[in-house]
Amino acid sequence: MSDEPYDFEKEFQAVFIPKQKPPPQPTVSGEMGATVSCYPPLGQVTQLKSGIIDFIVLLEVEEKDANDPWEIVLWQSADGKDWVETDLSRMKDGSAPSSLQIAPAHKSRLYFSASLAVASALNFTLKFRNNSDKSWRWARDEQSIGDGTIIINAEKTSAKALTSFTDIVKNLNPDLTIARASSQCPGTELWVIEAPVNAANGEDSTRADYRLGVPWGGYLRWFALVRIWTPWLAPRHGKTEFGLDKDAIMVAFLSPQGKHLVLLGVSGVNDVITVFRHSESGEPSIHLRNDGENSTSGIVLAAIGDNFESALAAVMYHSRNVVYAAKQVNNELEVELEALRDGVKPEWMENWYDGLGYCTWNALGQDLTDEKVFKAVDTLAENNINVTSLIIDDNWQDIDYTHDSQFQRGWKSFEADPKTFPNGLKNTVQRIRSKHPNIQHIAVWHALLGYWGGIAPEGKLATTYKTVVVDREDAKRRNLPLGGPMTVIAKEDVDTFYDDFYKFLSDCGIDGVKTDAQFMIDTWESAKHRRELTNTYLDAWMISSLRHFSIKAISCMSQTPHILFYSQLPRNRPAVLVRNSDDFFPAIPKSHPWHIWTNAHNSLLTQHLNILPDWDMFQTVHEYSGFHAAARCVSGGPIYITDAPGHHNLDLIYQMTGPTPRGKTVIFRPSVLGRSIDQYAGYDDDAILKVGCYHGRAVTGTPIIGVFNISARPLTELIPLSRFSGVVPSLNYIVRAHSSGVVSPIVKPSSSSALIPVSLEVRGYDIFSAFPLSQFDSESIGRVYAGNLGLLGKMTGAAAITSSEFELLHNGRVLLDTRLKALGILGVYLSTLPQMTIEDDFLVTIQGQTIPPHTVSINQADKHVLEIDVERAWNEMGLKAGWSNEVEVKAYFTIEH
């Protein structure tokens, strides 16, 4: 290493994060004065069907200027033709979108609209002024937002002709072999591309490069997931020029006609790594590395579709077939299945996936001791933070400290460090379990190869098991000197080593592991070591962890191409947690928006793996704590905190969790994983990050969007209800904002007024949930719309619902029969609630018993929301959990008198 001071924050900004634009400078009278937002949005590409499009513009002005004669003009060009103007008209209050957030008192919102017949691609921008005597103000100048683009998807036909791949990729490389394949995803077409590569030459891997061609001869946008560093993936975006600063495993292109081409490099087959680069002329190119002893081909899958998610699903589904076929040829699949049949026991997943976890890493630092762990869990208990899982992270092991660098140190023995854990690991675990029975699972950290530097050559492990020395490539990060030789367990003993180690942990009372530094096997230089040891380690870890700990394992730093496809893609085993991005860095402010951004985009791919994506731990007392908490709640993955002892935001923890009838604490994971819904919007495009997820059954479930301002300035957007994942166009919905509790008017997704205005300050976030409504007709009070809102006050409270059904009874009452996974305040939306009384029209039971009347009330934020305090009623009634982990609530309300 150089003696020059190393600044990781500076490198993180320079290498990991694209350069963001600063906030726009005031240009009119020394202040911004007014800003415009619209749908379809400026600066982005919107896919629509041809026909009449309603342009809606939100003008935010100072309250003192609200009565000025504002004018707004849409300036548009179709198919590159001359620009023309369309005047927008002021919308009446009743027809304008309703704000669900609390707006600043000094601001007023004015809405304008125009209907435009659009039959082809359209570029547009806006100009505005508040007096005909003044100059026009342009959105692109004042707000530094580029033109918006609308592309029209061609209408689908039942007799659609098959596309030739040469029509998609112009100047296609003739050295590639292209074959059509059957796609498992409706509305997509699929091809398999093979590129030849020679066998490895002794210890040296063989590499080959092939330019591909230009998608459609030109495109509007591209998106890639690159290897930002050996262990991790991260997104990259661009427009009409393609260029990658890192190798990519997936690349997508959007055509001017609204088609999506997704290219996926398949690795983990025949010892070949397949990634994408760019040629000197800016074409996507294929880069291959063959570690095998035979000449073979690298595989790229290509799919086109009318939307990105379908095209990506097509290549991911087929890649699983490719990996399965290779494993069957090598008899690997049967060996795995036999091992799993012999030892893996099914286990209830709630406590591990759905319990609140605590990790020692950022909380206690690297100088870990048993006393620090004891203090941390004691402090959690003192603050009534009821964690289910504890992860004892790095630095508990018995390590050889003769090396100055942590990343060159080796592991000596299974037992904990005798200096910092003087009574041994077993004693530590026993003390924690005896004092804190709520902590049901205790996991420990270790590296896949033992420790960062492998095995200590002079330690007990090195004398017990056969070892081999391997050479590592130099690290890209200058503060992590990972290069050079390391000692690892040899192929013959890897299975025994893992089995012995996990038996030791089990005997100590450990029932889970966080296995880190898995990328290290991808830093090995020798082709022989790579092909002989890589799968050996991956298989040994997977089988041993499932055999000893079932699903209670976290795979970390494992987003290498080989591991993604070989270990994480196949579905012949239970899913485990896999870290979804680089770390949470509490001390680097600019890393936090990037962390959420990266996870949301990585999840586009990892949602198709046989894993549960883990967005990493975070601290609840931090300037970005709410930002991180909201992201974890919509991620669909686990939530575990790493608070320093005594530094806890109890209100934030309350928003993420709830107590079960059995006294456990659970989180509220949506059943469909969260991921970015704007695949082609870049980090520096000043667009709100929208993370879409869903909970419940198809049609009757709850679409959810988390919104995050990852830019350097305040942002406002209009988000259509139709962008929420899983909405049904024919149903009626109401949308509720977590930040305010305000509920929208009843709308259909197909309505032009179904827009949600979203304004976020820097570091701002919110969560919007769309609830489908059941409807009933009453002669007494007219049509009644009803919806189950789940637990109020929780970021994803709808995910507390395990079942929900409305039913019209013969006696003129409507019954809501619902089950919840935790206690809390249940919210029920009733459109006619203002016409009803709690005393006369409602009866609520829990577990079949009528609850006290004072535990039912009207929500203060919205008069249409009934609150049922299930937790208070449960405690006052002295109810006990029966055989079920859930609580059953039945609410009867009268609609006929």
Side-chain angles (χ1 to χ4, degrees):
M1 288 184 67
S2 168
D3 293 333
E4 179 185 345
Y6 175 76
D7 186 341
F8 179 54
E9 181 175 359
K10 183 178 180 181
E11 181 190 349
F12 198 95
Q13 173 66 29
V15 177
F16 282 53
I17 304 177
K19 187 177 182 181
Q20 284 187 322
K21 293 177 295 196
Q25 298 299 311
T27 58
V28 178
S29 303
E31 60 180 57
M32 292 299 294
T35 58
V36 290
S37 312
C38 62
Y39 185 80
L42 292 168
Q44 300 180 45
V45 176
T46 304
Q47 290 184 249
L48 299 170
K49 295 188 181 298
S50 60
I52 303 298
I53 295 174
D54 290 320
F55 275 86
I56 310 294
V57 176
L58 167 57
L59 175 68
E60 292 184 287
V61 300
E62 297 294 326
E63 188 177 22
K64 62 183 177 62
D65 300 326
N67 293 321
D68 289 356
W70 288 96
E71 300 174 75
I72 297 184
V73 172
L74 178 70
W75 185 259
Q76 79 266 10
S77 170
D79 289 332
K81 298 177 182 177
D82 292 340
W83 290 80
V84 296
E85 296 184 346
T86 300
D87 294 328
L88 282 82
S89 302
R90 178 81 178 269
M91 297 179 72
K92 297 180 180 179
D93 290 342
S95 59
S98 298
S99 177
L100 306 183
Q101 298 172 302
I102 299 174
H106 65 283
K107 288 285 187 179
S108 291
R109 286 182 164 182
L110 312 176
Y111 288 91
F112 297 77
S113 67
S115 294
L116 202 67
V118 178
S120 57
L122 190 78
N123 290 329
F124 64 93
T125 189
L126 295 169
K127 63 180 184 179
F128 59 101
R129 61 185 180 184
N130 64 336
N131 193 304
S132 59
D133 296 333
K134 293 187 177 181
S135 300
W136 287 103
R137 301 162 61 178
W138 292 85
R140 65 161 72 101
D141 295 333
E142 290 203 10
Q143 297 174 218
S144 299
I145 298 180
D147 295 347
T149 300
I150 294 173
I151 55 177
I152 302 300
N153 278 103
E155 294 292 332
K156 297 178 181 178
T157 60
S158 57
K160 184 177 179 181
L162 293 177
T163 308
S164 169
F165 198 69
T166 55
D167 293 332
I168 300 170
V169 177
K170 304 302 181 182
N171 192 27
L172 183 64
N173 190 335
D175 295 331
L176 303 173
T177 301
I178 316 290
R180 182 179 292 276
S182 177
S183 175
Q184 300 176 51
C185 192
T188 62
E189 295 182 71
L190 178 70
W191 293 267
V192 177
I193 303 170
E194 294 188 3
V197 58
N198 291 330
N201 183 14
E203 296 286 334
D204 298 326
S205 303
T206 296
R207 294 169 171 81
D209 292 277
Y210 296 88
R211 66 164 188 84
L212 180 63
V214 182
W216 297 289
Y219 38 84
L220 294 177
R221 297 285 192 276
W222 61 266
F223 159 55
L225 288 177
V226 303
R227 302 191 66 189
I228 195 71
W229 185 40
T230 313
W232 302 120
L233 300 178
R236 286 290 186 257
H237 291 84
K239 296 181 181 177
T240 56
E241 295 183 5
F242 181 69
L244 294 170
D245 61 335
K246 305 285 184 180
D247 291 346
I249 65 167
M250 185 278 294
V251 184
F253 298 88
L254 174 62
S255 80
Q257 295 74 37
K259 296 293 184 182
H260 300 256
L261 170 66
V262 174
L263 303 172
L264 180 72
V266 179
S267 298
V269 174
N270 297 333
D271 300 308
V272 175
I273 301 296
T274 306
V275 293
F276 299 102
R277 296 178 174 178
H278 66 273
S279 67
E280 292 182 359
S281 59
E283 299 178 43
S285 65
I286 302 168
H287 176 74
L288 307 173
R289 174 176 181 163
N290 186 7
D291 299 317
E293 297 179 285
N294 300 309
S295 297
T296 184
S297 294
I299 298 173
V300 170
L301 302 180
I304 60 165
D306 291 328
N307 62 78
F308 169 85
E309 290 248 28
S310 293
L312 177 62
V315 293
M316 291 301 296
Y317 294 163
H318 196 76
S319 67
R320 191 173 294 117
N321 292 346
V322 172
V323 172
Y324 273 149
K327 284 177 175 281
Q328 286 175 330
V329 168
N330 297 323
N331 200 36
E332 293 170 355
L333 202 59
E334 182 56 36
V335 172
E336 290 177 8
L337 291 173
E338 183 178 351
L340 295 174
R341 282 194 298 265
D342 289 344
V344 178
K345 299 177 181 178
E347 184 162 328
W348 187 254
M349 73 175 187
E350 177 188 282
N351 296 335
W352 179 247
Y353 289 164
D354 291 358
L356 179 65
Y358 182 83
C359 182
T360 64
W361 178 243
N362 296 111
L364 305 183
Q366 295 188 39
D367 296 325
L368 196 63
T369 67
D370 57 357
E371 290 299 329
K372 288 183 178 181
V373 177
F374 297 147
K375 179 182 178 181
V377 294
D378 288 347
T379 307
L380 289 170
E382 291 165 5
N383 285 273
N384 294 315
I385 301 173
N386 190 8
V387 299
T388 300
S389 303
L390 169 68
I391 302 171
I392 301 174
D393 213 290
D394 191 1
N395 282 279
W396 68 271
Q397 291 167 284
D398 183 12
I399 303 302
D400 178 7
Y401 287 95
T402 56
H403 287 278
D404 292 335
S405 169
Q406 173 184 5
F407 304 100
Q408 297 290 338
R409 293 170 185 162
W411 189 24
K412 294 164 62 178
S413 70
F414 289 156
E415 186 52 87
D417 188 326
K419 294 182 180 179
T420 54
F421 289 76
N423 297 309
L425 183 62
K426 188 170 186 175
N427 176 268
T428 301
V429 174
Q430 288 175 339
R431 284 186 58 180
I432 294 171
R433 290 193 183 279
S434 63
K435 191 173 183 180
H436 303 285
N438 60 290
I439 299 179
Q440 296 179 303
H441 305 297
I442 301 178
V444 292
W445 180 101
H446 72 90
L448 179 68
L449 304 174
Y451 199 66
W452 293 101
I455 303 299
E458 306 301 327
K460 181 178 179 181
L461 295 176
T463 59
T464 305
Y465 305 97
K466 185 177 180 180
T467 61
V468 63
V469 176
V470 297
D471 286 318
R472 297 174 286 177
E473 299 170 348
D474 289 334
K476 296 297 183 184
R477 281 189 184 172
R478 291 176 52 208
N479 69 326
L480 299 183
L482 299 175
M486 70 184 304
T487 299
V488 300
I489 304 298
K491 180 177 181 178
E492 297 89 332
D493 279 0
V494 172
D495 289 337
T496 304
F497 162 77
Y498 259 104
D499 198 49
D500 290 346
F501 177 38
Y502 285 179
K503 283 179 181 177
F504 165 79
L505 292 180
S506 296
D507 182 63
C508 290
I510 295 296
D511 64 347
V513 286
K514 175 183 176 182
T515 305
D516 207 350
Q518 298 199 20
F519 75 99
M520 202 70 72
I521 56 180
D522 196 44
T523 68
W524 294 341
E525 294 182 330
S526 164
K528 180 177 184 293
H529 288 146
R530 291 170 68 91
R531 68 174 175 264
E532 291 186 354
L533 289 175
T534 296
N535 291 349
T536 301
Y537 269 95
L538 295 177
D539 290 341
W541 177 74
M542 183 271 295
I543 292 171
S544 291
S545 62
L546 287 171
R547 178 176 290 150
H548 292 276
F549 307 127
S550 186
I551 60 170
K552 297 186 293 294
I554 303 174
S555 172
C556 191
M557 301 186 88
S558 58
Q559 291 186 323
T560 72
H562 188 98
I563 298 175
L564 286 168
F565 288 93
Y566 181 83
S567 293
Q568 298 174 8
L569 183 67
R571 294 191 177 275
N572 62 318
R573 65 199 68 158
V576 298
L577 298 177
V578 173
R579 273 283 305 283
N580 199 52
S581 81
D582 204 343
D583 292 2
F584 162 77
F585 295 110
I588 304 179
K590 291 183 178 180
S591 73
H592 300 290
W594 175 252
H595 182 91
I596 306 308
W597 172 266
T598 299
N599 273 289
H601 285 82
N602 285 353
S603 289
L604 288 164
L605 184 136
T606 57
Q607 67 177 324
H608 294 287
L609 303 176
N610 185 34
I611 66 167
L612 187 63
D614 166 11
W615 289 28
D616 200 14
M617 69 194 88
F618 72 101
Q619 295 173 331
T620 66
V621 177
H622 189 274
E623 61 177 343
Y624 277 96
S625 60
F627 199 86
H628 279 287
R632 301 312 187 278
C633 287
V634 298
S635 75
I639 298 177
Y640 49 109
I641 59 176
T642 182
D643 291 348
H647 296 267
H648 311 292
N649 185 331
L650 299 181
D651 176 66
L652 194 62
I653 293 173
Y654 170 83
Q655 294 179 56
M656 298 185 294
T657 66
T660 71
R662 297 182 181 277
K664 301 174 184 176
T665 296
V666 293
I667 63 173
F668 305 114
R669 289 193 308 113
S671 50
V672 175
L673 296 173
R675 71 272 183 223
S676 170
I677 64 171
D678 293 323
Q679 298 86 19
Y680 298 101
Y683 191 70
D684 53 355
D685 284 346
D686 287 328
I688 288 175
L689 170 64
K690 295 173 277 292
V691 181
C693 59
Y694 185 90
H695 181 73
R697 299 177 180 176
V699 180
T700 60
T702 305
I704 301 171
I705 284 185
V707 290
F708 304 87
N709 185 357
I710 51 87
S711 78
R713 63 175 179 181
L715 294 176
T716 296
E717 289 189 23
L718 296 171
I719 302 177
L721 179 56
S722 58
R723 295 297 312 280
F724 284 62
S725 301
V727 293
V728 179
S730 61
L731 293 184
N732 292 295
Y733 290 84
I734 51 100
V735 179
R736 186 173 187 272
H738 172 70
S739 62
S740 65
V742 174
V743 175
S744 74
I746 298 171
V747 291
K748 286 184 181 292
S750 56
S751 169
S752 60
S753 62
L755 293 172
I756 314 299
V758 177
S759 291
L760 299 174
E761 295 297 320
V762 175
R763 297 202 304 268
Y765 65 92
D766 209 337
I767 297 175
F768 297 91
S769 301
F771 299 95
L773 301 177
S774 299
Q775 64 183 52
F776 308 94
D777 290 322
S778 164
E779 294 182 2
S780 302
I781 54 177
R783 177 156 291 178
V784 180
Y785 291 94
N788 185 351
L789 307 185
L791 294 184
L792 305 181
K794 310 299 183 183
M795 288 185 169
T796 47
I801 302 170
T802 59
S803 67
S804 178
E805 184 176 357
F806 283 95
E807 179 185 359
L808 179 62
L809 305 178
H810 296 300
N811 59 3
R813 284 182 169 181
V814 170
L815 165 65
L816 167 61
D817 187 353
T818 186
R819 289 181 177 271
L820 306 171
K821 67 185 291 186
L823 304 173
I825 299 175
L826 174 65
V828 181
Y829 174 87
L830 292 169
S831 61
T832 54
L833 185 57
Q835 302 166 242
M836 306 166 75
T837 64
I838 293 176
E839 295 79 7
D840 298 332
D841 297 315
F842 293 94
L843 173 68
V844 181
T845 67
I846 299 177
Q847 312 294 74
Q849 299 187 41
T850 303
I851 68 174
H854 63 265
T855 59
V856 183
S857 61
I858 306 298
N859 179 256
Q860 292 185 354
D862 195 287
K863 62 184 179 181
H864 300 94
V865 176
L866 186 75
E867 291 187 354
I868 303 171
D869 195 334
V870 178
E871 184 173 9
R872 181 179 179 185
W874 181 277
N875 293 330
E876 289 186 6
M877 296 165 66
L879 298 177
K880 302 296 182 183
W883 61 269
S884 176
N885 291 320
E886 302 166 349
V887 55
E888 181 186 51
V889 180
K890 291 185 178 181
Y892 302 84
F893 51 95
T894 303
I895 64 172
E896 296 288 4
H897 291 279

